[in-house]
Short mmCIF file of all heavy atoms in Angstrom, two decimals:
data_model
loop_
_atom_site.label_atom_id
_atom_site.label_comp_id
_atom_site.label_asym_id
_atom_site.label_seq_id
_atom_site.Cartn_x
_atom_site.Cartn_y
_atom_site.Cartn_z
N VAL A 833 -6.64 26.89 -10.07
CA VAL A 833 -6.19 27.51 -11.24
C VAL A 833 -7.05 28.68 -11.62
O VAL A 833 -6.49 29.70 -12.03
CB VAL A 833 -6.19 26.43 -12.40
CG1 VAL A 833 -5.81 27.23 -13.76
CG2 VAL A 833 -5.08 25.41 -12.14
N LEU A 834 -8.35 28.53 -11.40
CA LEU A 834 -9.27 29.78 -11.66
C LEU A 834 -8.89 30.90 -10.71
O LEU A 834 -8.90 32.05 -11.14
CB LEU A 834 -10.71 29.29 -11.47
CG LEU A 834 -11.25 28.37 -12.54
CD1 LEU A 834 -12.62 27.94 -12.24
CD2 LEU A 834 -11.23 29.07 -13.94
N LEU A 835 -8.54 30.59 -9.52
CA LEU A 835 -8.09 31.57 -8.53
C LEU A 835 -6.81 32.34 -9.18
O LEU A 835 -6.56 33.50 -9.07
CB LEU A 835 -7.88 31.12 -7.14
CG LEU A 835 -7.32 32.03 -6.16
CD1 LEU A 835 -8.14 33.32 -6.03
CD2 LEU A 835 -7.10 31.25 -4.80
N SER A 836 -5.86 31.43 -9.53
CA SER A 836 -4.62 32.01 -10.06
C SER A 836 -4.79 32.84 -11.22
O SER A 836 -4.10 33.85 -11.47
CB SER A 836 -3.69 30.83 -10.39
OG SER A 836 -3.31 30.02 -9.35
N MET A 837 -5.79 32.49 -12.09
CA MET A 837 -6.06 33.30 -13.29
C MET A 837 -6.75 34.68 -12.88
O MET A 837 -6.57 35.65 -13.59
CB MET A 837 -6.97 32.57 -14.17
CG MET A 837 -6.29 31.36 -14.84
SD MET A 837 -7.51 30.18 -15.65
CE MET A 837 -7.49 31.08 -17.40
N SER A 838 -7.49 34.64 -11.78
CA SER A 838 -8.15 35.89 -11.33
C SER A 838 -7.02 36.81 -10.74
O SER A 838 -6.99 38.00 -10.90
CB SER A 838 -9.13 35.60 -10.39
OG SER A 838 -8.63 35.21 -9.17
N ILE A 839 -5.96 36.20 -10.14
CA ILE A 839 -4.88 37.03 -9.69
C ILE A 839 -4.13 37.59 -10.83
O ILE A 839 -3.69 38.70 -10.78
CB ILE A 839 -4.00 36.11 -8.86
CG1 ILE A 839 -4.68 35.75 -7.57
CG2 ILE A 839 -2.55 36.84 -8.42
CD1 ILE A 839 -3.87 34.68 -6.72
N ASP A 840 -3.93 36.82 -11.84
CA ASP A 840 -3.25 37.32 -13.12
C ASP A 840 -3.99 38.46 -13.73
O ASP A 840 -3.42 39.49 -14.09
CB ASP A 840 -3.22 36.10 -14.13
CG ASP A 840 -2.88 36.59 -15.51
OD1 ASP A 840 -1.64 36.96 -15.67
OD2 ASP A 840 -3.69 36.78 -16.37
N ARG A 841 -5.31 38.33 -13.65
CA ARG A 841 -6.08 39.54 -14.30
C ARG A 841 -6.06 40.81 -13.35
O ARG A 841 -6.01 41.84 -13.85
CB ARG A 841 -7.58 39.06 -14.49
CG ARG A 841 -7.82 38.08 -15.58
CD ARG A 841 -7.37 38.70 -16.93
NE ARG A 841 -6.00 38.48 -17.18
CZ ARG A 841 -5.36 39.27 -18.03
NH1 ARG A 841 -5.83 40.21 -18.54
NH2 ARG A 841 -3.99 39.04 -18.16
N TYR A 842 -5.89 40.51 -12.09
CA TYR A 842 -5.98 41.57 -11.00
C TYR A 842 -4.62 42.40 -11.29
O TYR A 842 -4.54 43.55 -11.32
CB TYR A 842 -5.98 40.99 -9.67
CG TYR A 842 -5.53 42.05 -8.60
CD1 TYR A 842 -6.46 43.13 -8.25
CD2 TYR A 842 -4.37 41.94 -7.91
CE1 TYR A 842 -6.02 44.04 -7.33
CE2 TYR A 842 -3.97 42.84 -7.04
CZ TYR A 842 -4.77 43.90 -6.71
OH TYR A 842 -4.38 44.90 -5.80
N VAL A 843 -3.46 41.62 -11.43
CA VAL A 843 -2.22 42.21 -11.48
C VAL A 843 -2.07 42.90 -12.78
O VAL A 843 -1.54 44.03 -12.86
CB VAL A 843 -1.01 41.24 -11.35
CG1 VAL A 843 0.39 41.88 -11.64
CG2 VAL A 843 -1.11 40.56 -10.00
N ALA A 844 -2.58 42.36 -13.88
CA ALA A 844 -2.54 42.90 -15.32
C ALA A 844 -3.27 44.22 -15.30
O ALA A 844 -2.80 45.24 -16.00
CB ALA A 844 -3.04 41.94 -16.26
N ILE A 845 -4.36 44.38 -14.69
CA ILE A 845 -5.22 45.55 -14.74
C ILE A 845 -4.88 46.57 -13.56
O ILE A 845 -4.87 47.83 -13.86
CB ILE A 845 -6.75 45.09 -14.70
CG1 ILE A 845 -7.08 44.29 -15.94
CG2 ILE A 845 -7.67 46.39 -14.61
CD1 ILE A 845 -8.53 43.71 -15.93
N CYS A 846 -4.73 46.12 -12.36
CA CYS A 846 -4.50 47.01 -11.29
C CYS A 846 -3.09 47.38 -11.04
O CYS A 846 -2.79 48.40 -10.48
CB CYS A 846 -5.12 46.41 -9.98
SG CYS A 846 -6.85 45.99 -10.10
N ASN A 847 -2.15 46.67 -11.51
CA ASN A 847 -0.72 47.00 -11.33
C ASN A 847 0.06 46.55 -12.59
O ASN A 847 1.01 45.70 -12.52
CB ASN A 847 -0.23 46.17 -10.05
CG ASN A 847 1.06 46.75 -9.49
OD1 ASN A 847 1.48 47.70 -10.00
ND2 ASN A 847 1.59 46.18 -8.50
N PRO A 848 -0.31 47.10 -13.77
CA PRO A 848 0.26 46.63 -15.04
C PRO A 848 1.84 46.85 -15.08
O PRO A 848 2.51 46.05 -15.74
CB PRO A 848 -0.51 47.39 -16.13
CG PRO A 848 -0.90 48.66 -15.30
CD PRO A 848 -1.22 48.17 -13.93
N LEU A 849 2.34 47.96 -14.52
CA LEU A 849 3.74 48.22 -14.63
C LEU A 849 4.66 47.08 -13.91
O LEU A 849 5.73 46.93 -14.21
CB LEU A 849 4.11 49.49 -13.92
CG LEU A 849 3.43 50.78 -14.56
CD1 LEU A 849 3.71 52.07 -13.79
CD2 LEU A 849 3.84 50.82 -16.08
N HIS A 850 4.07 46.39 -12.92
CA HIS A 850 4.82 45.38 -12.34
C HIS A 850 4.33 43.93 -12.59
O HIS A 850 4.60 42.97 -11.92
CB HIS A 850 4.69 45.46 -10.75
CG HIS A 850 5.27 46.83 -10.27
ND1 HIS A 850 4.54 47.99 -10.02
CD2 HIS A 850 6.53 47.12 -9.75
CE1 HIS A 850 5.24 48.88 -9.62
NE2 HIS A 850 6.49 48.41 -9.40
N TYR A 851 3.62 43.82 -13.71
CA TYR A 851 3.09 42.59 -14.24
C TYR A 851 4.14 41.50 -14.41
O TYR A 851 4.15 40.44 -13.83
CB TYR A 851 2.30 42.72 -15.47
CG TYR A 851 1.56 41.52 -15.92
CD1 TYR A 851 0.57 41.01 -15.19
CD2 TYR A 851 1.92 40.95 -17.22
CE1 TYR A 851 -0.03 39.79 -15.77
CE2 TYR A 851 1.27 39.74 -17.63
CZ TYR A 851 0.23 39.20 -16.93
OH TYR A 851 -0.40 38.02 -17.36
N SER A 852 5.10 41.87 -15.14
CA SER A 852 6.22 40.92 -15.46
C SER A 852 7.09 40.57 -14.36
O SER A 852 7.68 39.42 -14.28
CB SER A 852 7.01 41.45 -16.74
OG SER A 852 7.58 42.66 -16.34
N THR A 853 7.23 41.44 -13.38
CA THR A 853 8.05 41.21 -12.29
C THR A 853 7.35 40.45 -11.05
O THR A 853 7.94 39.74 -10.29
CB THR A 853 8.61 42.53 -11.60
OG1 THR A 853 7.52 43.42 -11.25
CG2 THR A 853 9.49 43.24 -12.66
N VAL A 854 6.02 40.59 -11.11
CA VAL A 854 5.20 39.89 -10.07
C VAL A 854 4.97 38.40 -10.46
O VAL A 854 5.25 37.52 -9.76
CB VAL A 854 3.97 40.63 -9.76
CG1 VAL A 854 3.05 39.74 -8.93
CG2 VAL A 854 4.17 42.02 -9.21
N LEU A 855 4.47 38.22 -11.66
CA LEU A 855 4.22 36.97 -12.20
C LEU A 855 5.37 36.42 -13.13
O LEU A 855 5.28 36.33 -14.32
CB LEU A 855 2.84 36.97 -13.04
CG LEU A 855 1.66 37.31 -12.19
CD1 LEU A 855 0.39 37.42 -13.10
CD2 LEU A 855 1.35 36.21 -11.13
N THR A 856 6.48 36.11 -12.41
CA THR A 856 7.61 35.48 -13.03
C THR A 856 7.32 34.05 -13.44
O THR A 856 6.47 33.36 -12.75
CB THR A 856 8.89 35.56 -12.24
OG1 THR A 856 8.67 35.01 -10.94
CG2 THR A 856 9.17 37.19 -11.97
N PRO A 857 8.01 33.56 -14.35
CA PRO A 857 7.96 31.96 -14.64
C PRO A 857 8.07 31.18 -13.45
O PRO A 857 7.29 30.18 -13.16
CB PRO A 857 8.90 31.76 -15.68
CG PRO A 857 9.12 33.06 -16.43
CD PRO A 857 9.00 34.09 -15.36
N ALA A 858 9.05 31.52 -12.62
CA ALA A 858 9.31 30.63 -11.33
C ALA A 858 8.20 30.80 -10.45
O ALA A 858 7.65 29.80 -9.80
CB ALA A 858 10.69 31.16 -10.72
N ARG A 859 7.52 31.92 -10.29
CA ARG A 859 6.44 32.20 -9.35
C ARG A 859 5.27 31.43 -9.82
O ARG A 859 4.41 30.94 -9.12
CB ARG A 859 6.13 33.58 -9.09
CG ARG A 859 5.12 33.94 -8.09
CD ARG A 859 5.19 35.38 -7.71
NE ARG A 859 6.36 35.71 -6.97
CZ ARG A 859 6.91 36.90 -6.78
NH1 ARG A 859 6.24 37.94 -7.23
NH2 ARG A 859 7.95 37.15 -5.98
N ILE A 860 5.11 31.43 -11.19
CA ILE A 860 3.91 30.73 -11.86
C ILE A 860 4.05 29.19 -11.53
O ILE A 860 3.04 28.57 -11.32
CB ILE A 860 3.86 31.11 -13.32
CG1 ILE A 860 3.45 32.61 -13.57
CG2 ILE A 860 2.83 30.10 -14.06
CD1 ILE A 860 3.57 32.97 -14.98
N ILE A 861 5.20 28.66 -11.74
CA ILE A 861 5.42 27.29 -11.49
C ILE A 861 5.10 26.90 -9.99
O ILE A 861 4.53 25.92 -9.76
CB ILE A 861 6.93 26.96 -11.89
CG1 ILE A 861 7.17 27.02 -13.37
CG2 ILE A 861 7.24 25.49 -11.29
CD1 ILE A 861 8.61 26.79 -13.72
N ARG A 862 5.58 27.89 -9.09
CA ARG A 862 5.26 27.60 -7.63
C ARG A 862 3.74 27.57 -7.36
O ARG A 862 3.30 26.75 -6.64
CB ARG A 862 6.01 28.64 -6.81
CG ARG A 862 7.47 28.35 -6.66
CD ARG A 862 8.02 29.12 -5.44
NE ARG A 862 7.85 30.54 -5.56
CZ ARG A 862 8.85 31.40 -6.22
NH1 ARG A 862 9.89 30.90 -6.71
NH2 ARG A 862 8.58 32.69 -6.14
N MET A 863 3.07 28.54 -8.12
CA MET A 863 1.60 28.59 -7.93
C MET A 863 0.90 27.28 -8.39
O MET A 863 0.00 26.73 -7.74
CB MET A 863 1.03 29.80 -8.75
CG MET A 863 1.49 31.15 -8.04
SD MET A 863 1.00 32.58 -9.13
CE MET A 863 -0.82 32.63 -8.94
N GLY A 864 1.37 26.79 -9.57
CA GLY A 864 0.92 25.56 -10.09
C GLY A 864 1.14 24.40 -9.12
O GLY A 864 0.33 23.53 -8.98
N ARG A 865 2.35 24.31 -8.65
CA ARG A 865 2.74 23.15 -7.80
C ARG A 865 1.92 23.23 -6.43
O ARG A 865 1.45 22.23 -6.01
CB ARG A 865 4.27 23.32 -7.44
CG ARG A 865 5.18 22.81 -8.58
CD ARG A 865 6.57 22.92 -8.31
NE ARG A 865 7.46 22.45 -9.34
CZ ARG A 865 8.81 22.65 -9.37
NH1 ARG A 865 9.36 23.35 -8.24
NH2 ARG A 865 9.52 22.25 -10.27
N SER A 866 1.75 24.46 -5.96
CA SER A 866 1.11 24.64 -4.74
C SER A 866 -0.41 24.26 -4.87
O SER A 866 -1.13 23.73 -4.03
CB SER A 866 1.10 26.06 -4.18
OG SER A 866 0.51 27.00 -5.08
N SER A 867 -1.13 24.53 -6.12
CA SER A 867 -2.30 24.15 -6.47
C SER A 867 -2.56 22.61 -6.40
O SER A 867 -3.52 22.08 -5.84
CB SER A 867 -2.81 24.64 -7.71
OG SER A 867 -2.84 26.04 -7.83
N VAL A 868 -1.58 21.93 -6.94
CA VAL A 868 -1.62 20.48 -7.01
C VAL A 868 -1.36 19.86 -5.60
O VAL A 868 -2.15 18.99 -5.21
CB VAL A 868 -0.61 19.92 -7.95
CG1 VAL A 868 -0.64 18.36 -7.98
CG2 VAL A 868 -0.92 20.42 -9.48
N PHE A 869 -0.41 20.41 -5.00
CA PHE A 869 -0.10 19.95 -3.66
C PHE A 869 -1.23 20.10 -2.67
O PHE A 869 -1.55 19.23 -1.89
CB PHE A 869 1.24 20.65 -3.02
CG PHE A 869 1.65 20.18 -1.75
CD1 PHE A 869 2.17 19.05 -1.49
CD2 PHE A 869 1.32 21.02 -0.65
CE1 PHE A 869 2.65 18.58 -0.31
CE2 PHE A 869 1.73 20.64 0.66
CZ PHE A 869 2.32 19.45 0.81
N ARG A 870 -1.88 21.28 -2.58
CA ARG A 870 -3.01 21.58 -1.79
C ARG A 870 -4.12 20.57 -1.95
O ARG A 870 -4.77 20.06 -1.07
CB ARG A 870 -3.36 23.10 -1.95
CG ARG A 870 -4.51 23.37 -0.93
CD ARG A 870 -4.97 24.90 -1.15
NE ARG A 870 -5.72 25.13 -2.42
CZ ARG A 870 -6.47 26.07 -2.69
NH1 ARG A 870 -6.79 26.84 -1.69
NH2 ARG A 870 -7.19 26.23 -3.73
N SER A 871 -4.43 20.41 -3.28
CA SER A 871 -5.56 19.55 -3.69
C SER A 871 -5.29 18.06 -3.27
O SER A 871 -6.24 17.38 -2.70
CB SER A 871 -5.79 19.67 -5.21
OG SER A 871 -6.02 20.92 -5.51
N VAL A 872 -4.17 17.68 -3.54
CA VAL A 872 -3.77 16.24 -3.16
C VAL A 872 -3.80 16.07 -1.63
O VAL A 872 -4.30 15.10 -1.14
CB VAL A 872 -2.33 15.89 -3.77
CG1 VAL A 872 -1.93 14.60 -3.06
CG2 VAL A 872 -2.37 15.78 -5.16
N LEU A 873 -3.27 17.08 -0.99
CA LEU A 873 -3.23 17.05 0.52
C LEU A 873 -4.60 16.82 1.13
O LEU A 873 -4.85 16.14 2.14
CB LEU A 873 -2.49 18.20 0.99
CG LEU A 873 -2.15 18.31 2.57
CD1 LEU A 873 -1.23 17.20 2.87
CD2 LEU A 873 -1.63 19.60 2.93
#
Side-chain angles (χ1 to χ4, degrees):
V833 171
L834 290 173
L835 174 59
S836 298
M837 296 174 82
S838 71
I839 294 171
D840 169 77
R841 291 298 84 208
Y842 166 76
V843 176
I845 294 173
C846 300
N847 201 1
L849 297 178
H850 296 89
Y851 182 67
S852 58
T853 57
V854 172
L855 293 174
T856 60
R859 188 164 288 163
I860 292 170
I861 291 172
R862 285 200 298 271
M863 292 171 71
R865 286 176 178 172
S866 64
S867 297
V868 175
F869 178 76
R870 183 182 71 155
S871 301
V872 169
L873 188 66

